[in-house]
Amino acid sequence: MGRLDNQVKIRGFRIELGEIEAALNQHPDVREAVVVVRKGAPGGKRLSAYIVCAETENREDSLEKYTDTEETDGARRLKTKSQSDENRSSSGEFQPAFANYKQESNQRKQVSGNNKFACNGLRPSSGNSMYSSEEDWQSFMRFRETLGRSLRSALREKLPDYMIPSDFIPIHALPFTHNGKVDRRTLAERPIKALQRPEKDLTIPRTAKEESLAMIWGEVLGIERVGIHDDFFELGGHSLLAVSLMARIEQQFGKQLPLSVLFQGATVAELAARIDTIIDAIGDGSDPWRPLVLIRKGDSRLPFFCLPGAGGNILYLHELARHLGENQPFYGLQAVGLDGEREPDTRIEEMAARYIREIQTVQAHGPYLLGGHSFGSWVALEMAKQLQEQGEGVVRLAVFDTTVPFGQPVGMDWSEADWIIDIAHIAGRLLGIELNISDDELRQLDTEGQLGHLHGLLGQNGWDLSMSQLQALVRIFKANCQMDYVPKDIPPIPISLFKARESASVTRSGAQMAAFSQQIKQDPTWGWGQYAAGPVDVHEVPGDHYTMMSLPNVEVLAERLRYYIANL
């Protein structure tokens, strides 16, 4: 491919794919690397790196482990050291990233034949099948996550954040065209799982309900065939696609399901087994839309209760929960009104009181571990106050990229058209595209027509959501932005502030918030020092206000948050 063909533009940045490939090929675990742009689903373009691993005995990990702290300007920052010291064997040699995978695989069976692709650790059992058992497949998936962390960490030493691939996919060999060139089109267009797992391993639908859901899964994810045990998130699903998924399910089954049902089972088989129960619960007055949602069960350690931003949807917290580890209990608190029927809360004090009642159904007494992204941090702050007034302890408040509340509502003089235009700009940012919406044309329509226009525009750009979902989104976002919360009498609490390294594209609401918080940001703690018990722990993490919560950036956020949770 020519040099120009190897250049792409993602979120406004011009990227040379060959530069990323060259950096990957310098890594001792990599034999060959090809980077492509995958696109076509809501959420925009994403960089994916396909890796054929090299046989190697020694290397230095560039992963970091957070070990100590230093204080500057009233803020405590973590110092780091190379984790390579902890990866040394007893002989003093460094262990390759895939060593544990190979050892685990070889304990199950003897590898025979000439397998030069060490990252597989397994000899193909037959044909193109890389995995002779489900156990081998699960071992491979664990290895893939370990390799991804190692490569991301190494690339961050050489490249800016926007050039770090979202996916690192080990494959046994690269595909080639008939004239001997790497077949980048196949890599870019085939479903990731299709490049790794043979179709014979798919479990086909057994019932009409499973068949309907599998068809919806495939349409939303852009995958030809979906097995009933394939996980929505592992197949590339994310919060935007989940909205489309639920819109299609609503069309098929006649009921709007909460997005949170995916946390209770994200496979076709699991949802098919529960969908009638969920629909019956909606019909008999039960509340599947209750605020408290279990995202990860974990073990007996202290749960982390996390609140989303102004949109009120918790699904995007999935990656943070996953990367905190399977043993960490994680709950999200979703906004009232996502069902499109109830009115959203309009006061943070009332919202906090409601959420406290919810969390005390699973943890009756403190100490509590709270966190929030953006607007959610303000609600978490008020929850910390009310809990302490009840005599309960709060061991830490984790704040994700927001200042203290500035006590000024956003958009008080806006028309409905202004809010819809702002939502359109935010949606375009999340989709990675520019939605061409005309202010003049929109203002000539009534409110229903304006919503219909935006609904159609989103559908044309690949984001299928129902009108009720869109109406709920606008109502909740507007209500949260217009809260004029001023914290009062906050008892001191330990606080960690995680700032996004990059600036997000500015929307109208974002511009107002930036103006209101400009003076506050002159303080390195963004105002949180006045409520903190001791210095505020301040960290800068990769990504912008939105992408810090998604791969690959969320891995760094989770690693730093894990440090505090482990030391409670």
Side-chain angles (χ1 to χ4, degrees):
M1 298 182 70
R3 182 175 178 84
L4 292 179
D5 292 331
N6 222 18
Q7 288 185 351
V8 297
K9 192 172 183 180
I10 299 179
R11 297 194 301 274
F13 296 103
R14 190 168 297 280
I15 297 171
E16 172 62 52
L17 299 181
E19 186 177 349
I20 307 173
E21 293 170 354
L24 283 169
N25 284 319
Q26 293 174 21
H27 195 283
D29 277 355
V30 176
R31 179 186 179 91
E32 296 176 279
V34 172
V35 179
V36 299
V37 176
R38 298 180 62 85
K39 56 185 178 180
K45 302 174 182 177
R46 59 193 287 136
L47 294 172
S48 295
Y50 291 89
I51 308 296
V52 177
C53 296
E55 188 84 42
T56 184
E57 295 301 328
N58 301 299
R59 78 176 183 98
E60 293 197 15
D61 251 337
S62 54
L63 295 173
E64 293 180 330
K65 184 176 180 65
Y66 298 89
T67 58
D68 202 356
T69 60
E70 59 184 0
E71 292 188 12
T72 57
D73 300 326
R76 190 161 67 237
R77 293 174 172 80
L78 287 175
K79 293 190 294 185
T80 64
K81 71 175 183 178
S82 172
Q83 192 176 339
S84 59
D85 292 339
E86 298 189 3
N87 288 341
R88 290 183 186 272
S89 66
S90 58
S91 64
E93 295 182 338
F94 288 96
Q95 301 304 303
F98 49 82
N100 290 340
Y101 172 71
K102 290 175 66 182
Q103 181 180 5
E104 180 180 351
S105 301
N106 291 331
Q107 286 173 349
R108 289 196 302 273
K109 65 176 185 172
Q110 179 67 37
V111 179
S112 61
N114 180 21
N115 181 13
K116 62 182 179 180
F117 302 114
C119 69
N120 293 341
L122 298 170
R123 182 170 182 259
S125 58
S126 63
N128 291 325
S129 176
M130 293 168 59
Y131 314 103
S132 60
S133 70
E134 181 65 22
E135 191 177 2
D136 289 341
W137 169 250
Q138 295 299 331
S139 176
F140 173 79
M141 293 304 291
R142 288 192 294 272
F143 159 69
R144 173 181 162 185
E145 189 166 326
T146 300
L147 178 67
R149 284 196 299 268
S150 176
L151 294 180
R152 284 190 186 99
S153 181
L155 289 184
R156 287 193 180 104
E157 299 293 324
K158 304 173 183 291
L159 301 173
D161 292 336
Y162 64 84
M163 293 182 70
I164 307 298
S166 299
D167 310 299
F168 293 86
I169 305 105
I171 54 177
H172 69 287
L174 295 172
F176 289 87
T177 64
H178 66 279
N179 56 6
K181 295 182 179 180
V182 174
D183 192 347
R184 293 175 179 268
R185 177 173 294 180
T186 291
L187 292 173
E189 294 180 356
R190 290 288 303 281
I192 288 177
K193 202 156 189 176
L195 290 162
Q196 298 173 331
R197 197 174 193 180
E199 285 197 2
K200 75 178 184 63
D201 289 341
L202 295 177
T203 304
I204 63 173
R206 301 160 297 188
T207 66
K209 192 173 298 176
E210 287 182 348
E211 188 171 356
S212 295
L213 289 172
M215 185 177 298
I216 294 171
W217 246 250
E219 290 172 353
V220 169
L221 293 167
I223 296 175
E224 293 179 9
R225 295 189 65 193
V226 176
I228 62 171
H229 300 304
D230 290 336
D231 186 278
F232 176 78
F233 297 108
E234 288 184 4
L235 290 174
H238 50 72
S239 58
L240 293 177
L241 287 176
V243 172
S244 297
L245 183 75
M246 292 303 154
R248 300 283 184 90
I249 290 174
E250 182 180 356
Q251 292 173 1
Q252 179 70 27
F253 294 94
K255 289 289 184 181
Q256 183 184 3
L257 305 185
L259 293 171
S260 57
V261 301
L262 289 175
F263 293 132
Q264 299 156 21
T267 69
V268 168
E270 289 169 322
L271 186 56
R274 297 182 60 254
I275 193 167
D276 287 337
T277 302
I278 297 169
I279 291 174
D280 290 344
I282 295 173
D284 66 15
S286 299
D287 188 12
W289 297 88
R290 63 174 294 193
L292 185 69
V293 177
L294 176 62
I295 298 178
R296 186 170 286 269
K297 185 176 181 179
D299 55 22
S300 60
R301 65 190 67 186
L302 203 62
F304 181 52
F305 297 100
C306 193
L307 291 87
N313 185 339
I314 61 170
L315 202 68
Y316 74 98
L317 301 177
H318 163 76
E319 288 294 349
L320 177 60
R322 185 167 74 90
H323 286 89
L324 282 178
E326 62 182 1
N327 295 324
Q328 175 59 52
F330 192 111
Y331 289 86
L333 288 152
Q334 64 186 359
V336 171
L338 287 171
D339 57 359
E341 297 180 4
R342 285 171 289 188
E343 290 298 317
D345 289 313
T346 57
R347 296 185 68 246
I348 281 182
E349 294 86 349
E350 294 173 357
M351 187 182 296
R354 182 197 305 276
Y355 290 167
I356 287 173
R357 292 193 296 272
E358 288 284 326
I359 69 174
Q360 289 181 334
T361 64
V362 295
Q363 185 186 343
H365 299 288
Y368 291 96
L369 176 61
L370 306 176
H373 177 228
S374 190
F375 168 81
S377 297
W378 299 355
V379 185
L381 177 66
E382 177 63 24
M383 289 176 67
K385 170 194 170 181
Q386 294 185 21
L387 282 166
Q388 290 182 94
E389 288 177 343
Q390 296 175 13
E392 305 291 354
V394 177
V395 289
R396 185 159 298 274
L397 171 62
V399 176
F400 304 138
D401 201 48
T402 194
T403 68
V404 294
F406 36 72
Q408 300 185 67
V410 172
M412 287 303 294
D413 58 347
W414 289 8
S415 66
E416 286 300 311
D418 291 319
W419 286 105
I420 290 171
I421 291 169
D422 201 57
I423 290 288
H425 290 157
I426 294 172
R429 169 66 181 80
L430 295 175
L431 291 166
I433 59 176
E434 185 174 346
L435 291 176
N436 296 315
I437 188 165
S438 169
D439 291 18
D440 292 338
E441 291 181 12
L442 197 67
R443 294 183 194 281
Q444 293 176 15
L445 304 172
D446 60 17
T447 300
E448 185 177 350
Q450 292 166 357
L451 279 169
H453 180 73
L454 176 58
H455 182 258
L457 191 61
L458 292 171
Q460 292 168 17
N461 285 276
W463 194 24
D464 295 319
L465 72 168
S466 68
M467 183 62 78
S468 60
Q469 287 173 322
L470 180 59
Q471 290 171 331
L473 171 63
V474 173
R475 281 202 300 268
I476 290 170
F477 182 73
K478 178 181 177 181
N480 288 341
C481 286
Q482 291 187 331
M483 292 189 192
D484 55 350
Y485 171 62
V486 178
K488 296 178 182 177
D489 303 321
I490 305 292
I493 47 177
I495 296 177
S496 297
L497 170 62
F498 300 87
K499 299 178 181 178
R501 184 177 299 161
E502 303 170 18
S503 298
S505 57
V506 178
T507 61
R508 189 176 177 188
S509 59
Q512 275 200 14
M513 293 177 190
F516 292 154
S517 62
Q518 184 176 9
Q519 188 62 36
I520 299 173
K521 286 190 174 182
Q522 300 303 309
D523 170 16
T525 73
W526 285 4
W528 291 102
Q530 63 189 300
Y531 306 125
V536 176
D537 299 301
V538 179
H539 312 274
E540 188 178 79
V541 296
D544 62 29
H545 186 71
Y546 303 102
T547 62
M548 68 182 289
M549 305 299 291
S550 59
L551 286 172
N553 305 318
V554 73
E555 290 187 334
V556 176
L557 174 61
E559 183 178 8
R560 300 190 183 188
L561 183 58
R562 271 200 312 270
Y563 170 84
Y564 292 107
I565 296 176
N567 287 279
L568 291 175

